[in-house]
Amino acid sequence: MEGLKEQRMLDFVVENAVRGDPQSVVDTIDNFCRNKEWAMNVGDEKGLILDEVVKETDPLMVVELGTYCGYSAVRIARLLKPGARILTMEMNPVHASVARQMIEFAGVNNTVHVLEGSTADFIPQLKQNYGVDTLDFVFLDHWKDRYLIDTKLLEECQLLRKGSVLLADNVVYPGIPDFLEHVRTCGRYDCTNYPSRVQYMNKEDALEKAVFKGCL
Ligand code: SAM
Ligand code: MG
């Protein structure tokens, strides 16, 4: 097949989804990934869990680690109240470009801002350069060797407050044991595991919610 899957996903959305309708964009991406080509979005099954945690948290300030094509950013944005913001970080320039177009097509570009570069660079800049005080909700869905390092960076940069919610994808497949050990045993988080399945596949996976209890 010619070209990149991410571009084909975007083309499929532009052809088949309703401009300005984020639910239609989410559904059309799921349709593409179930019926045409698999892709690494959080997907429709785990997406329902993501929706529930976003709704119960009702966040104003959201950070996403790992944008890919913007699926989860659009998914989260469609549930947020007016004035809420998502800063989503993506280091792959092709993915960042597709995501910006996806987000614009879905009509949530006033809510979602793609920060192109690495989480290691952006997390320490959030307070000074992006007007962040503390984070209400963080979705971790980037490379798995970064979850623990970036969680510790969020802690060190004092971006977490009592009640900040971390939600981590892929804690069973491929699994993130060092991150799970940290949030489950350091005493600063209340953790809940949500069993589910790998996106668009019949294989076990889960999300982990870790609610920061504050600095002891
Ligand atoms: N959250 C997206 C969704 O559900 O639609 C899927 C994200 S995909 C699984 C992971 C993305 O994280 C990839 O596009 C990858 O380039 C990006 N990524 C990985 N490590 C990163 C890092 N340290 N900083 C920024 N982006 C990163
Ligand atoms: Mg994932």
Side-chain angles (χ1 to χ4, degrees):
M1 227 178 298
E2 295 279 304
L4 285 173
K5 171 169 67 179
E6 291 73 23
Q7 185 61 47
R8 290 193 291 277
M9 187 194 297
L10 176 63
D11 293 344
F12 187 79
V13 165
V14 169
E15 218 165 279
N16 295 287
V18 178
R19 179 179 275 280
D21 179 347
Q23 183 64 53
S24 152
V25 170
V26 165
D27 292 342
T28 305
I29 296 175
D30 287 328
N31 176 5
F32 178 86
C33 294
R34 283 206 177 275
N35 300 308
K36 294 187 177 293
E37 296 180 73
W38 184 93
M40 60 180 162
N41 327 298
V42 69
D44 42 10
E45 284 195 55
K46 288 186 288 180
L48 291 177
I49 300 167
L50 171 62
D51 290 354
E52 286 315 305
V53 178
V54 170
K55 283 190 228 164
E56 76 184 20
T57 307
D58 195 21
L60 261 177
M61 189 61 242
V62 176
V63 157
E64 174 176 66
L65 311 182
T67 316
Y68 189 42
C69 298
Y71 172 91
S72 50
V74 171
R75 189 158 190 128
I76 296 168
R78 85 201 204 290
L79 300 173
L80 298 183
K81 55 194 166 199
R85 260 198 317 157
I86 306 178
L87 299 174
T88 179
M89 301 175 190
E90 177 53 60
M91 68 184 183
N92 178 316
V94 173
H95 298 176
S97 166
V98 167
R100 285 198 181 98
Q101 294 172 77
M102 195 74 85
I103 288 159
E104 198 270 329
F105 185 87
V108 293
N109 45 311
N110 287 334
T111 306
V112 185
H113 305 278
V114 179
L115 306 185
E116 189 175 329
S118 79
T119 54
D121 289 336
F122 279 121
I123 290 171
Q125 295 182 38
L126 287 175
K127 279 190 190 260
Q128 268 208 318
N129 296 347
Y130 295 91
V132 174
D133 178 15
T134 53
L135 304 173
D136 301 316
F137 182 77
V138 182
F139 184 46
L140 295 91
D141 192 19
H142 54 332
W143 295 160
K144 308 316 162 196
D145 59 353
R146 291 296 312 183
Y147 279 41
L148 178 59
I149 298 167
D150 287 341
T151 297
K152 289 185 172 170
L153 196 53
L154 292 168
E155 293 170 4
E156 278 161 32
C157 295
Q158 301 186 347
L159 287 157
L160 303 182
R161 46 110 180 136
K162 188 174 186 320
S164 292
V165 173
L166 308 186
L167 187 69
D169 189 22
N170 305 108
V171 300
V172 168
Y173 187 82
I176 333 271
D178 60 350
F179 167 81
L180 282 187
E181 198 202 323
H182 176 69
V183 293
R184 287 176 180 177
T185 65
C186 75
R188 296 199 298 278
Y189 295 90
D190 281 321
C191 293
T192 311
N193 187 262
Y194 298 89
S196 186
R197 292 189 295 179
V198 175
Q199 51 273 36
Y200 319 117
M201 286 170 78
N202 194 7
K203 195 181 183 92
E204 268 182 43
D205 196 4
L207 294 160
E208 184 88 358
K209 179 174 79 171
V211 183
F212 193 64
K213 293 199 280 188
C215 297
L216 303 177

